[in-house]
Amino acid sequence: MLIQKIHRSYILIGILLYAILFIYWRDSISFFNAINVFVFASYAFTLSFCLNKDESFYTNRNLIAITFLYSFIFVCVYIQLSDYYMGNSFMFSEADSRYYERYSFVMKDMSFNDALAYISRYWGYDDWGAPMAMALMLKIVPLKLFVNLCYIVMNTIGACCLFYIGKSIMSKQYAFIGCLVYAISSYSLFFMSCFLKEEIMVFLVIVSMYMLYKYWTNRNLLYLVMGGLISLLIIFFRPPVAIFVWVAYSALLFMGTKNNTIRGFFIIVAFSVLALAAN
């Protein structure tokens, strides 16, 4: 099968790259480098294990179990490594993480309005989302590790949303493996281990597109409204990404109606959003 050929090629290329890197590491092989090799090996093994299952294996329950447990284990490992090498748990991205931590811990004891007024004095609106969201998490449990746990939950939910969309346009096996490749990849583990905004932003993008797809298949206006509101939140993380989501909404809604007046409206919206992005 094509997916198995791709996986074998990935393993061979990965082994070759690590062999080359070890030539440069031979004078300074560290425990951290060894862990990265272990992460690569466990990633390859997990995908190989899932590829050799029958159709009944590819379910939401198994995707949730594998994604959550794998992410939880390696996020804990990454955080411990960061603490050992850097003296903090920011995964070598201290510049932004330190600011997010400082502001979110201050804001967790404020009301929503006070927190918004506070953050607006220091940052532009495109950076309000992360400290506000982190402050809400810290209101529940005032520990950075709880934020990391929330990130793992977001990543798992995002994988399930992608699986729901994917299995309707391809086989369950391809959809399952594709979602797993994203959810337990090294860069996903990195962002779940940090104190950065990317994990929240990606989660919002996935859920907004999931809501759009639910509207497209069920024609329930509630999904469209919820997806639109969620996509608005992306402005407070990275406005250009929000613009692409709105264009996607306009394009799909344009294709889904035969009314020329409504089509004209969505064309105007799409071009207006693109013009806004260009400025």
Side-chain angles (χ1 to χ4, degrees):
M1 292 178 64
L2 177 61
I3 193 169
Q4 292 175 332
K5 291 180 180 179
I6 293 172
H7 181 58
R8 285 195 294 268
S9 298
Y10 160 77
I11 294 175
L12 291 174
I13 293 171
I15 292 172
L16 177 62
L17 289 174
Y18 272 108
I20 294 171
L21 288 173
F22 265 115
I23 294 174
Y24 293 95
W25 287 343
R26 65 179 183 273
D27 295 326
S28 59
I29 295 177
S30 67
F31 182 63
F32 183 74
N33 293 331
I35 287 294
N36 278 332
V37 174
F38 178 69
V39 171
F40 164 74
S42 63
Y43 183 69
F45 173 79
T46 302
L47 295 180
S48 297
F49 171 79
C50 294
L51 277 169
N52 295 313
K53 296 294 181 181
D54 57 34
E55 192 77 6
S56 62
F57 175 81
Y58 304 115
T59 63
N60 278 320
R61 183 172 63 181
N62 286 336
L63 181 63
I64 290 170
I66 295 171
T67 300
F68 185 87
L69 290 175
Y70 188 100
S71 301
F72 183 83
I73 291 169
F74 283 103
V75 165
C76 290
V77 170
Y78 276 175
I79 289 174
Q80 288 298 316
L81 283 174
S82 179
D83 185 63
Y84 177 79
Y85 282 100
M86 303 297 294
N88 59 58
S89 55
F90 296 133
M91 278 302 296
F92 314 103
S93 58
E94 187 172 356
D96 290 336
S97 296
R98 183 70 70 184
Y99 284 113
Y100 287 134
E101 182 193 43
R102 180 189 306 169
Y103 288 103
S104 59
F105 268 95
V106 171
M107 292 161 55
K108 71 178 176 64
D109 297 320
M110 299 179 180
S111 66
F112 178 82
N113 291 336
D114 289 341
L116 186 59
Y118 175 79
I119 197 63
S120 63
R121 293 202 300 267
Y122 301 100
W123 283 351
Y125 72 92
D126 58 336
D127 255 329
W128 292 355
M132 291 290 290
M134 292 171 183
L136 289 174
M137 298 175 200
L138 292 170
K139 281 180 181 290
I140 302 172
V141 178
L143 293 172
K144 176 191 173 294
L145 292 177
F146 182 72
V147 175
N148 295 121
L149 179 61
C150 290
Y151 284 178
I152 294 172
V153 172
M154 289 179 190
N155 182 65
T156 305
I157 294 172
C160 289
C161 291
L162 291 174
F163 182 56
Y164 179 87
I165 298 172
K167 67 185 179 181
S168 64
I169 57 178
M170 62 183 77
S171 70
K172 282 188 176 182
Q173 183 192 41
Y174 276 55
F176 188 97
I177 297 300
C179 294
L180 200 60
V181 164
Y182 152 74
I184 65 172
S185 62
S186 57
Y187 62 83
S188 291
L189 295 176
F190 171 81
F191 284 120
M192 284 185 281
S193 305
C194 295
F195 209 71
L196 298 172
K197 66 182 179 180
E198 278 75 11
E199 186 62 39
I200 307 173
M201 182 194 69
V202 171
F203 171 74
L204 293 175
V205 171
I206 291 174
V207 173
S208 65
M209 299 309 294
Y210 168 79
M211 291 295 175
L212 177 60
Y213 184 77
K214 289 286 285 185
Y215 167 74
W216 181 258
T217 54
N218 297 327
R219 296 298 175 179
N220 187 330
L221 191 60
L222 178 62
Y223 290 120
L224 183 62
V225 173
M226 291 175 63
L229 292 175
I230 292 170
S231 69
L232 286 174
L233 296 176
I234 302 172
I235 298 174
F236 303 110
F237 292 84
R238 197 152 288 167
V241 176
I243 289 170
F244 281 115
V245 172
W246 297 338
V247 170
Y249 266 61
S250 297
L252 193 61
L253 293 172
F254 174 84
M255 292 186 293
T257 181
K258 297 181 179 180
N259 188 306
N260 289 331
T261 301
I262 297 176
R263 283 190 166 192
F265 170 75
F266 286 123
I267 289 173
I268 293 171
V269 170
F271 277 103
S272 299
V273 168
L274 290 173
L276 181 63
N279 292 329

